[in-house]
Amino acid sequence: MNIESIRDYCLTLPRVTEDFPFDETTLVFRIEGKIFAMIDLERHEWLTLKCDPEYAVALREHHTEITGAWHMNKRYWNMLNLVGNLSDELICHLIRHSYNQVVKKISRRMRESIGLELVEE
């Protein structure tokens, strides 16, 4: 997947916004103000996603293209090398998983009030 495809895919998820909170090159995708994905416009071969801690370890063990995210809590964040052999299907699954990890942290009351639900992984 390329950076345009990733951006387009992230923006198809409910209530997703994008911005550049850190600098002029780090594109961040958020759900209700919480980050679930990041990609650098200058180093777009790497995508950073939130992940369940146990699943994060399993992914790293099975895919050399997936590592702990640089400058992030490696327990919860993975970096995907998009130049490697990861399928578009797996990348999309991991984007949805990341999105759901953030949605789960939003209170049920808030989710219900805005009509926010988990997406199918």
Side-chain angles (χ1 to χ4, degrees):
M1 275 185 101
N2 62 34
I3 191 169
E4 292 88 10
S5 299
I6 289 169
R7 179 180 179 268
D8 291 344
Y9 188 76
C10 286
L11 293 174
T12 67
L13 299 171
R15 303 181 69 87
V16 169
T17 59
E18 61 182 340
D19 65 339
F20 292 89
F22 305 118
D23 53 41
E24 295 177 357
T25 63
T26 306
L27 178 58
V28 169
F29 298 94
R30 300 175 188 257
I31 175 66
E32 292 302 309
K34 310 267 188 220
I35 297 171
F36 75 92
M38 294 182 284
I39 193 164
D40 193 300
L41 301 180
E42 292 177 348
R43 295 189 60 219
H44 48 85
E45 67 272 11
W46 293 100
L47 173 64
T48 302
L49 298 171
K50 193 158 192 175
C51 194
D52 170 79
E54 290 179 17
Y55 190 35
V57 171
L59 287 166
R60 292 174 203 161
E61 290 174 355
H62 289 93
H63 301 280
T64 57
E65 297 89 354
I66 301 177
T67 61
W70 189 60
H71 283 300
M72 302 295 284
N73 184 335
K74 289 165 184 49
R75 178 171 161 84
Y76 299 101
W77 292 89
N78 278 339
M79 279 182 28
L80 285 61
N81 184 339
L82 302 172
V83 179
N85 294 317
L86 298 177
S87 69
D88 289 357
E89 182 180 335
L90 177 60
I91 294 168
C92 288
H93 161 75
L94 294 174
I95 290 170
R96 292 188 308 271
H97 175 77
S98 179
Y99 176 91
N100 284 339
Q101 290 299 297
V102 174
V103 169
K104 288 176 186 176
K105 297 291 182 181
I106 298 170
S107 72
R108 186 168 60 156
R109 180 185 219 177
M110 172 65 99
R111 288 194 316 255
E112 289 174 355
S113 74
I114 61 175
L116 185 60
E117 298 180 5
L118 298 176
V119 295
E120 184 177 331
E121 289 182 32

PDB file of all heavy atoms in Angstrom, residues 22 54-55 89 104 114:
ATOM      1  N   PHE A  22       2.578  17.363  15.253  1.00  0.00           N
ATOM      2  CA  PHE A  22       3.973  17.333  15.709  1.00  0.00           C
ATOM      3  C   PHE A  22       4.902  18.184  14.856  1.00  0.00           C
ATOM      4  O   PHE A  22       5.810  18.826  15.355  1.00  0.00           O
ATOM      5  CB  PHE A  22       4.486  15.891  15.737  1.00  0.00           C
ATOM      6  CG  PHE A  22       3.631  14.969  16.552  1.00  0.00           C
ATOM      7  CD1 PHE A  22       3.004  13.886  15.957  1.00  0.00           C
ATOM      8  CD2 PHE A  22       3.417  15.190  17.903  1.00  0.00           C
ATOM      9  CE1 PHE A  22       2.200  13.029  16.694  1.00  0.00           C
ATOM     10  CE2 PHE A  22       2.623  14.343  18.654  1.00  0.00           C
ATOM     11  CZ  PHE A  22       2.008  13.271  18.041  1.00  0.00           C
ATOM     12  N   GLU A  54      -0.510  -8.019  23.483  1.00  0.00           N
ATOM     13  CA  GLU A  54      -0.185  -9.414  23.166  1.00  0.00           C
ATOM     14  C   GLU A  54      -0.146  -9.632  21.652  1.00  0.00           C
ATOM     15  O   GLU A  54       0.718 -10.352  21.134  1.00  0.00           O
ATOM     16  CB  GLU A  54      -1.187 -10.355  23.826  1.00  0.00           C
ATOM     17  CG  GLU A  54      -1.043 -10.412  25.332  1.00  0.00           C
ATOM     18  CD  GLU A  54      -2.059 -11.333  25.989  1.00  0.00           C
ATOM     19  OE1 GLU A  54      -2.679 -12.170  25.295  1.00  0.00           O
ATOM     20  OE2 GLU A  54      -2.231 -11.213  27.215  1.00  0.00           O
ATOM     21  N   TYR A  55      -1.069  -9.029  20.963  1.00  0.00           N
ATOM     22  CA  TYR A  55      -1.113  -9.143  19.507  1.00  0.00           C
ATOM     23  C   TYR A  55       0.109  -8.465  18.891  1.00  0.00           C
ATOM     24  O   TYR A  55       0.669  -8.952  17.901  1.00  0.00           O
ATOM     25  CB  TYR A  55      -2.416  -8.529  18.992  1.00  0.00           C
ATOM     26  CG  TYR A  55      -2.732  -8.770  17.538  1.00  0.00           C
ATOM     27  CD1 TYR A  55      -2.402  -9.960  16.891  1.00  0.00           C
ATOM     28  CD2 TYR A  55      -3.373  -7.787  16.792  1.00  0.00           C
ATOM     29  CE1 TYR A  55      -2.702 -10.167  15.555  1.00  0.00           C
ATOM     30  CE2 TYR A  55      -3.696  -7.985  15.453  1.00  0.00           C
ATOM     31  CZ  TYR A  55      -3.344  -9.174  14.846  1.00  0.00           C
ATOM     32  OH  TYR A  55      -3.657  -9.371  13.520  1.00  0.00           O
ATOM     33  N   GLU A  89      -4.225  -6.482   2.490  1.00  0.00           N
ATOM     34  CA  GLU A  89      -5.285  -6.999   3.362  1.00  0.00           C
ATOM     35  C   GLU A  89      -4.855  -6.952   4.829  1.00  0.00           C
ATOM     36  O   GLU A  89      -5.616  -6.522   5.694  1.00  0.00           O
ATOM     37  CB  GLU A  89      -5.633  -8.428   2.957  1.00  0.00           C
ATOM     38  CG  GLU A  89      -6.750  -9.034   3.764  1.00  0.00           C
ATOM     39  CD  GLU A  89      -7.064 -10.464   3.320  1.00  0.00           C
ATOM     40  OE1 GLU A  89      -6.796 -10.820   2.171  1.00  0.00           O
ATOM     41  OE2 GLU A  89      -7.585 -11.205   4.166  1.00  0.00           O
ATOM     42  N   LYS A 104     -12.309   1.517  21.760  1.00  0.00           N
ATOM     43  CA  LYS A 104     -12.597   0.787  23.005  1.00  0.00           C
ATOM     44  C   LYS A 104     -12.280   1.621  24.245  1.00  0.00           C
ATOM     45  O   LYS A 104     -12.865   1.392  25.308  1.00  0.00           O
ATOM     46  CB  LYS A 104     -11.784  -0.509  23.062  1.00  0.00           C
ATOM     47  CG  LYS A 104     -12.261  -1.569  22.112  1.00  0.00           C
ATOM     48  CD  LYS A 104     -11.341  -2.781  22.167  1.00  0.00           C
ATOM     49  CE  LYS A 104     -11.694  -3.808  21.125  1.00  0.00           C
ATOM     50  NZ  LYS A 104     -10.748  -4.937  21.113  1.00  0.00           N
ATOM     51  N   ILE A 114     -22.664   9.478  20.425  1.00  0.00           N
ATOM     52  CA  ILE A 114     -22.264   9.929  19.089  1.00  0.00           C
ATOM     53  C   ILE A 114     -22.472   8.844  18.028  1.00  0.00           C
ATOM     54  O   ILE A 114     -22.146   9.049  16.859  1.00  0.00           O
ATOM     55  CB  ILE A 114     -20.805  10.434  19.073  1.00  0.00           C
ATOM     56  CG1 ILE A 114     -19.827   9.318  19.462  1.00  0.00           C
ATOM     57  CG2 ILE A 114     -20.650  11.643  19.977  1.00  0.00           C
ATOM     58  CD1 ILE A 114     -18.362   9.704  19.342  1.00  0.00           C
TER      59      ILE A 114
END
